[in-house]
Amino acid sequence: MLPAASTVAGAMLHEAVAGPLLANLGITLARVVAAFTVAMVFGTALGIAMGVWRRLDLALDSWVTVLLNLPALVVIVLMYVWFGLNEWAAIAAVALNKLPSTAVTLREGARALDRGLEEMAESFRMGRWARLRHVVLPQLAPYLFAAARSGLAIIWKIVLVVELLGRSNGVGFQIESYFQLFDVTGILAYTLAFILVVQAIEWVLLQPLERRANRWRR
Amino acid sequence: MSAPAILEVDITRKSFAGRDGAAQLVLEDLRFRLAPREIVAVVGPSGCGKTTLLRLIDGLDHDFTGRIVWHATDRPRIGTVFQEPRLLPWRTVRQNLTLVAAGRDALADELLHALGLWPFRDAYPPQISLGMARRAAIARAFAIDPDLVLLDEPFVSLDPTMTERGRDVLLDAWRRRPTAALIVTHDMDDAAALADRVLLLSANPARIVADVAIPPDQRRAGPEAAHVLAQSLRQARAAETRPGGAISGSSGRR
């Protein structure tokens, strides 16, 4: 039922050297990056806009809630039905699953923006870009990191489902192949490889960025 | 005032919507001029609308009847010192100055040296004391080479020693970059220690009840002289308000 850890690690190394693991990992990672970028950029913009403009918030709030609660599977199937089994539909399906939670997180951030600092920036006639960069974004940093962390965790899981349902490559596709063969070792080898990649992103990218953003806190 | 004014303030009315929806009049018939390099203190009881006056002059609020006219410049540079320092906590002390100084980095550095902030230039605001942060806020206001500096109760919640140091710091900056300055305060000693001219305000709505020019030989003459001067200003205010009792609330210090 459950192969030894050494067996899984061995299978992973073998797949990496002699099999298609690295290629599949690369393809899946590219989809994760694309969907993550789309979801973060649009979710952040939408969230800030909703946090700042009450009217927009009222108009879109129910839609965000609907999207937030729509099962990932439904979004994926609908995107494939409407736009075909292609890369765009796959990435859009993943991004749409993450976008509303990013928007909700960033909306809270935008609501908590410091009015006093905003007024200071206005009083000193800081430009729009300078305000965004030096006044607004640093305040939103904790919310951005929270959204990025949970986003990464959710997105790579959904990318696997998207691949399983409608793509002919990637980690999700491989896992499905192993599923047909009931090859638990193969399934775990791919899972382990991807967990290592996500962990590496956390260590190499997110944590150093967060330390940099937080260095002013004593 | 014989010197040409840099700024003319003529606020006929400024009101806010009250809780019951009725307009609540905050400022009425406030008229004064400010000469270049002149320090004017506006003294009134807490909550009388002094901060609102600064917001109008700063252009943060345009909803009032009357006019605010700038002479000699269309786009005045206004350096504001808020009640709280309002420094960006995620930028160093020096960055807080250079961010608004628009290329005047040398001026920013000069002010950091002059106000004793140079050793702390790379510290972040949460790592320095409140007194230091207020000093940095004063330096920031002067770092834009301002046409006018607005100060909103700049020394509130500091102990007497720190308040005195704060006044010295402000005068240091001002002597280095003499500019028109408007200080609103409830503290008569602030006004007496810093100003060329003192406008005494009534409460609800705020009107000017007296416009007192400080004799040149008594201006910025040190803490003892300021204390004596503050006493006579208090008497002037009492005399102005005795018949109608226009000033309500207490603005006496400590």
Side-chain angles (χ1 to χ4, degrees), chain A residues 32-70:
Chain A
V32 167
V33 169
F36 178 81
T37 309
V38 172
M40 285 301 287
V41 168
F42 288 97
T44 300
L46 182 66
I48 294 176
M50 289 175 76
V52 173
W53 291 303
R54 209 174 137 59
R55 273 200 196 154
L56 188 74
D57 188 28
L58 285 173
L60 295 184
D61 187 45
S62 331
W63 289 102
V64 170
T65 311
V66 167
L67 214 53
L68 203 56
N69 290 290
L70 210 58

Side-chain angles (χ1 to χ4, degrees), chain A residues 13-185:
Chain A
L13 284 178
H14 179 261
E15 276 288 302
V17 176
L21 187 138
L22 290 182
N24 282 319
L25 212 56
I27 290 165
T28 299
L29 201 59
R31 289 182 183 131
V32 167
V33 169
F36 178 81
T37 309
V38 172
M40 285 301 287
V41 168
F42 288 97
T44 300
L46 182 66
I48 294 176
M50 289 175 76
V52 173
W53 291 303
R54 209 174 137 59
R55 273 200 196 154
L56 188 74
D57 188 28
L58 285 173
L60 295 184
D61 187 45
S62 331
W63 289 102
V64 170
T65 311
V66 167
L67 214 53
L68 203 56
N69 290 290
L70 210 58
L73 194 59
V74 174
V75 178
I76 296 164
V77 170
L78 282 178
M79 294 308 270
Y80 276 150
V81 170
W82 286 338
F83 301 107
L85 292 175
N86 59 55
E87 208 60 56
W88 297 112
I91 288 167
V94 180
L96 264 181
N97 270 299
K98 170 57 191 161
L99 193 146
S101 75
T102 303
V104 168
T105 307
L106 267 298
R107 176 174 63 184
E108 291 313 311
R111 281 177 180 163
L113 286 175
D114 187 326
R115 277 295 305 153
L117 290 181
E118 176 65 31
E119 206 174 83
M120 182 279 295
E122 203 183 334
S123 170
F124 280 94
R125 315 295 190 256
M126 282 174 83
R128 198 174 281 260
W129 170 241
R131 267 190 232 190
L132 186 69
R133 186 168 158 218
H134 301 294
V135 183
V136 176
L137 283 182
Q139 293 185 70
L140 294 180
Y143 298 89
L144 280 169
F145 280 111
R149 280 233 164 73
S150 70
L152 198 60
I154 287 176
I155 277 177
W156 85 266
K157 290 173 197 165
I158 298 175
V159 164
L160 296 204
V161 179
V162 166
E163 289 175 343
L164 185 144
L165 285 174
R167 303 276 72 207
S168 53
N169 50 25
V171 176
F173 171 77
Q174 274 303 319
I175 287 178
E176 204 225 352
S177 310
Y178 287 124
F179 170 54
Q180 306 289 345
L181 303 168
F182 285 100
D183 182 348
V184 175
T185 307

Side-chain angles (χ1 to χ4, degrees), chain B residues 62-118:
Chain B
H62 299 280
D63 180 24
F64 69 102
T65 318
R67 57 197 198 116
I68 289 167
V69 183
W70 289 90
H71 296 292
T73 173
D74 290 334
R75 292 171 58 82
R77 286 192 300 275
I78 304 176
T80 304
V81 181
F82 298 92
Q83 261 183 50
E84 329 77 48
R86 296 197 192 175
L87 300 171
L88 297 173
W90 39 81
R91 295 287 180 264
T92 64
V93 168
R94 185 172 182 275
Q95 285 169 339
N96 266 281
L97 269 66
T98 53
L99 263 178
V100 298
R104 295 177 196 91
D105 288 13
L107 173 56
D109 287 346
E110 182 191 327
L111 285 160
L112 288 173
H113 277 295
L115 305 195
L117 289 163
W118 189 249

